[in-house]
Amino acid sequence: MPLLLLAVALVAAGAWLILRQGGEAAHRPAMSFGISGEDPRTFTDPRFAALGLHDARVQVSWDLAVHGGAAYPGLAAERARLATWLTDARAAGIRRVLLAVKPSRDVPAAQPGAAYAEALARLLAWVDAHGAGDLVTAISPWNEPDAAVSTRTDPVAAGRMYAVVRALCAARGCQAVAGDFADRGMTRAYLA
């Protein structure tokens, strides 16, 4: 587990938690730290246990629960890895998970468009079916939309994705995270 990756993940998770308001966040310190990554082995590493973290972030393909079969081998592998990740995260004491939605593992340039709302509802139903729905306390609609191929030139699409996640989170009781931007190529116009 490279130290730099851990430091970046801790800062990102801390920033996410600072932005949370109300409910459970009112009873916690203003800042907390977590870890980010997709490898479930993180949670069985003795160095992770020594950190005493309870927050984690994992990137998930937007179409994880939509496409299946041999035509989508990356998504099949991601589903298996995420199922293990969620189980191992809970066993390691993780209590809060930020799902960071990202481009498809098998079709990275595809912009979800109108299929996004249904795909996210199916993704959350998949997480619920794996017994981990209670862990998801926040969702980032699109990981670094200013850097992703599918949304780099279309900030309005990124805004529509945020609106979908905001509505889903309102129904589920989670937090929609809006400011998940890359530190390269960001412009004031895109942010606006």
Side-chain angles (χ1 to χ4, degrees):
M1 183 178 339
L3 187 56
L4 179 59
L5 177 60
L6 178 59
V8 170
L10 292 174
V11 170
W16 159 53
L17 290 169
I18 288 171
L19 297 175
R20 292 190 65 212
Q21 296 177 4
E24 179 186 341
H27 304 290
R28 290 196 339 257
M31 183 185 294
S32 181
F33 294 95
I35 194 158
S36 180
E38 297 180 36
D39 190 340
R41 293 177 297 179
T42 298
F43 302 114
T44 57
D45 187 312
R47 294 171 292 180
F48 173 78
L51 295 171
L53 299 175
H54 300 290
D55 300 313
R57 174 184 180 271
V58 64
Q59 290 190 25
V60 182
S61 295
W62 71 273
D63 58 346
L64 181 80
V66 174
H67 298 121
Y72 300 94
L75 290 172
E78 183 178 353
R79 277 190 294 277
R81 186 174 48 254
L82 182 60
T84 301
W85 189 96
L86 290 165
T87 299
D88 291 357
R90 184 184 299 280
I94 294 298
R95 294 190 292 250
R96 291 170 295 275
V97 172
L98 165 62
L99 286 183
V101 180
K102 67 180 182 84
S104 173
R105 191 166 300 276
D106 282 315
V107 193
Q111 185 172 350
Y116 183 77
E118 180 185 346
L120 248 56
R122 290 176 72 173
L123 168 63
L124 293 171
W126 183 91
V127 170
D128 290 344
H130 283 78
D134 62 314
L135 292 178
V136 177
T137 58
I139 302 172
S140 173
W142 202 253
N143 186 58
E144 299 180 342
D146 55 318
V149 172
S150 59
T151 52
R152 183 180 308 134
T153 60
D154 194 358
V156 173
R160 283 192 301 268
M161 291 175 191
Y162 174 74
V164 167
V165 168
R166 190 171 171 193
L168 284 171
C169 279
R172 287 181 70 89
C174 60
Q175 178 70 42
V177 177
D180 190 4
F181 296 104
D183 60 354
R184 59 196 181 281
M186 171 55 73
T187 65
R188 285 181 174 257
Y190 193 97
L191 186 57

